[in-house]
Amino acid sequence: MPSAPDSASIPVIPGFHPDPSVCRAGEDYYLVCSSFEYYPGIPVFHSRDLVHWTQIGNALDRPDQLRLPPDAHSSGGLYAPTLRYHDGRFWLIVTNVNGDGNLLFTATDPAGPWSDPVRLPGVHGIDPDLAWDEHGTCWCTVAGISQVRIDPRTGETLGEPRRLWSGAPGAKTPEAPHLYRIGAYWYLLIAEGGTERCHGVSIARARTPDGPFEPCPANPVLTHRGTDHPVQNTGHADLVQGPDGSWWMVFLGVRPRGGSPDWHVLGRETFLAPVTWVDDWPVVGEPTSARTPPPWPLRPPAEAPVRDDFDGDGLAPGWISPRIRREEDCTTGERAGWLTLRARGQSLDDSDVTFVGRRQQHLSCRAWTLLDPAEGSGGLAVRLDERHHYEIEATASEVRVVARIGPLRSVVASRPSAGGPVVLGVGTTPVQEITDPRDGPDTVAFYVREADGTRTELVRLDGRYLSTEVAGGFTGRVIGLYASAGTVRFDWFDYEPYED
């Protein structure tokens, strides 16, 4: 069990980056996460110190790799990838729950390009894992927990699937299996308890990759259930060795805030914790923080720029869209230095809306954009799914703020517009003091920047309605730009955190 809570525990990849899987290739580390209904799919990160991560691409960035039909539900799509480095290649296996099942991709460079998918019709179940034994046999293990041998180059299954150890008797949702050879044992790491407050990580070991498996007497080896730790829902973990040969665990967690029942708004984030070995069993320490960094030199990258001026040939890899992104509807090549969006759906209520956004990664942040609505309408939105979003929208004659909460949609503020380009903003502010058990986690404010540079707040909304505890599902907030009618152009987009 972890030690006493550390209020400075912070994610190594903040925001909606769940289900981390990590591998090491020489001095380099690579990590992937689930992306669900968003395209491009499966963000790929690089690090040299396990603490600082830079997104270098998306593994599934071509339509022929990723089918997400317009009716694919939110929190569908791509679930729980596993990334491994074997025999000089990177191997990525993932489930597309919207019809394609389990898929396997390879690359010599994790930044891409990645191969077309190898389909695995004989592998049934989500959260697939890959492991190779000393004979070169590839073992694929899936949630449940079951296992089958496969030929990873063809997708053919070899033999029949068989059940393995599935955690504590009666435990909810045994999933996220990862199989490793460490020392004299094969270890089977799984998550159990569901990805909500009862989430946890358990482990078993065997002398062979197919068992029989002996459970750790100290299971779960990681959980924050029933504690007041600031990081909750801890689970879905993966193991990796640090630069000094020590062992570490990446795992997902959330940072809930507010009154009862607590709400998390950024989605499930990626955390890092040290692992020691006692009697050939892992003991997981407290998540890393500014006060407890790893015992090797850190290698932080250059600060990410606040502004995206849309000067490149395409969008940076951190920009994502629900289900599909058509070049004719989203381009930086039509007006130099501007992002042009053409409307498909009429609003963010529609599954085929033209929307590009970036994950909200900070509890306190502000985003601004300059848009020209002369040929249509659109704006700046905070999206959780089609039924839960807030947005500030501009037309040639009006600026309005719209709130969609479940079955209800309402214009909650508006003001006339003089026409021409307008600067719109959104800011999130966490609640600092709980005075009522019904207090929400944060507020979401919408602004117009006036000609003299001052900002006018149009409305401030309760952030709980853009939380997983209200909306359900597996994703987090995405802040971005959209078109609801005609053509809308955006000159720049700023995103930056600020001190609470």
Side-chain angles (χ1 to χ4, degrees):
M1 294 290 292
S3 58
D6 177 359
S7 61
S9 296
I10 56 174
V12 291
I13 308 181
F16 157 42
H17 293 102
D19 308 329
S21 180
V22 64
C23 72
R24 180 178 180 177
E27 295 183 353
D28 296 285
Y29 295 90
Y30 300 96
L31 185 148
V32 295
C33 299
S34 295
S35 52
F36 297 95
E37 76 267 27
Y38 287 98
Y39 177 91
I42 310 300
V44 181
F45 294 87
H46 171 257
S47 176
R48 283 290 185 90
D49 63 10
L50 287 176
V51 173
H52 300 95
W53 294 89
T54 300
Q55 188 174 355
I56 57 174
N58 296 278
L60 280 61
D61 58 2
R62 305 188 304 273
D64 56 350
Q65 294 173 303
L66 175 58
R67 287 194 321 113
L68 290 174
D71 61 352
H73 59 82
S74 290
S75 289
L78 297 178
Y79 282 22
T82 292
L83 179 67
R84 294 293 180 254
Y85 182 65
H86 171 74
D87 198 23
R89 298 185 68 82
F90 293 90
W91 304 77
L92 173 71
I93 189 169
V94 67
T95 310
N96 184 346
V97 301
N98 288 111
D100 284 341
N102 287 305
L103 306 169
L104 197 153
F105 304 83
T106 62
T108 56
D109 182 349
W114 286 80
S115 69
D116 291 336
V118 173
R119 300 183 185 277
L120 302 165
V123 177
H124 305 288
I126 63 171
D127 301 6
D129 175 71
L130 295 175
W132 286 262
D133 64 20
E134 66 272 21
H135 306 295
T137 301
C138 184
W139 300 85
C140 182
T141 311
V142 297
I145 303 289
S146 67
Q147 184 187 77
V148 67
R149 291 176 297 127
I150 67 168
D151 182 336
R153 299 185 182 276
T154 66
E156 178 186 5
T157 53
L158 308 173
E160 295 297 319
R162 59 187 300 273
R163 300 287 295 186
L164 298 181
W165 174 77
S166 295
K172 177 182 177 182
T173 322
E175 58 188 0
H178 289 310
L179 186 66
Y180 319 86
R181 177 66 183 266
I182 302 173
Y185 292 99
W186 285 88
Y187 290 89
L188 177 60
L189 188 74
I190 72 166
E192 61 183 18
T195 194
E196 297 81 31
R197 293 295 191 268
C198 287
H199 212 21
V201 176
S202 292
I203 197 166
R205 69 189 183 190
R207 294 294 184 177
T208 60
D210 54 348
F213 284 91
E214 166 200 4
C216 176
N219 279 334
V221 294
L222 171 66
T223 188
H224 291 171
R225 64 181 68 143
T227 73
D228 61 357
H229 197 288
V231 180
Q232 290 292 322
N233 302 31
T234 50
H236 204 115
D238 205 0
L239 291 169
V240 68
Q241 281 189 280
D244 62 352
S246 60
W247 283 91
W248 295 77
M249 177 181 284
V250 294
F251 59 94
L252 67 78
V254 305
R255 291 180 286 170
R257 299 180 69 97
S260 181
D262 291 337
W263 297 268
H264 74 276
V265 300
L266 302 189
R268 298 169 300 164
E269 308 175 280
T270 290
F271 292 82
L272 177 72
V275 174
T276 55
W277 295 85
V278 177
D279 297 328
D280 291 321
W281 291 114
V283 177
V284 183
E286 180 67 18
T288 57
S289 72
R291 294 199 292 270
T292 58
W296 53 75
L298 299 183
R299 304 174 73 169
E303 288 287 331
V306 169
R307 174 162 296 186
D308 192 329
D309 273 312
F310 304 122
D311 288 333
D313 293 334
L315 292 174
W319 288 97
I320 54 177
S321 300
R323 299 171 188 85
I324 194 169
R325 183 188 297 162
R326 297 184 178 92
E327 187 175 347
E328 61 268 26
D329 297 327
C330 174
T331 177
T332 58
E334 188 168 305
R335 182 191 289 183
W338 291 69
L339 172 66
T340 297
L341 300 183
R342 287 190 172 82
R344 292 196 311 270
Q346 296 182 348
S347 76
L348 287 163
D349 299 348
D350 298 322
S351 62
D352 62 345
V353 65
T354 300
F355 171 91
V356 292
R358 55 154 296 164
R359 295 162 174 88
Q360 181 183 337
Q361 293 186 271
H362 304 87
L363 297 170
S364 304
C365 69
R366 294 191 183 100
W368 293 90
T369 189
L370 170 63
L371 71 146
D372 182 355
E375 302 173 53
S377 61
L380 177 63
V382 184
R383 178 189 190 272
L384 201 62
D385 60 27
E386 287 78 23
R387 296 179 294 181
H388 301 85
H389 50 84
Y390 298 156
E391 59 263 24
I392 183 167
E393 181 170 290
T395 69
S397 60
E398 183 187 37
V399 174
R400 56 180 174 258
V401 178
V402 178
R404 170 70 192 268
I405 303 169
L408 305 177
R409 176 183 173 88
S410 179
V411 176
V412 294
S414 66
R415 60 172 272 180
S417 174
V422 60
V423 177
L424 306 178
V426 60
T428 62
T429 303
V431 170
Q432 297 299 325
E433 183 179 356
I434 306 302
T435 60
D436 187 310
R438 299 166 296 176
D439 285 344
D442 67 350
T443 59
V444 183
F446 290 91
Y447 308 98
V448 173
R449 185 175 293 167
E450 308 294 353
D452 63 2
T454 61
R455 69 183 187 191
T456 298
E457 182 178 309
L458 270 61
V459 69
R460 186 171 291 262
L461 303 175
D462 190 331
R464 82 183 68 197
Y465 302 110
L466 303 187
S467 71
T468 300
E469 283 74 15
V470 170
F474 304 121
T475 62
R477 288 180 185 169
V478 176
I479 300 177
L481 313 172
Y482 72 97
S484 56
T487 299
V488 188
R489 306 180 197 277
F490 299 84
D491 186 20
W492 48 261
F493 175 87
D494 289 353
Y495 173 94
E496 62 180 333
Y498 65 92
E499 295 296 325
D500 294 353

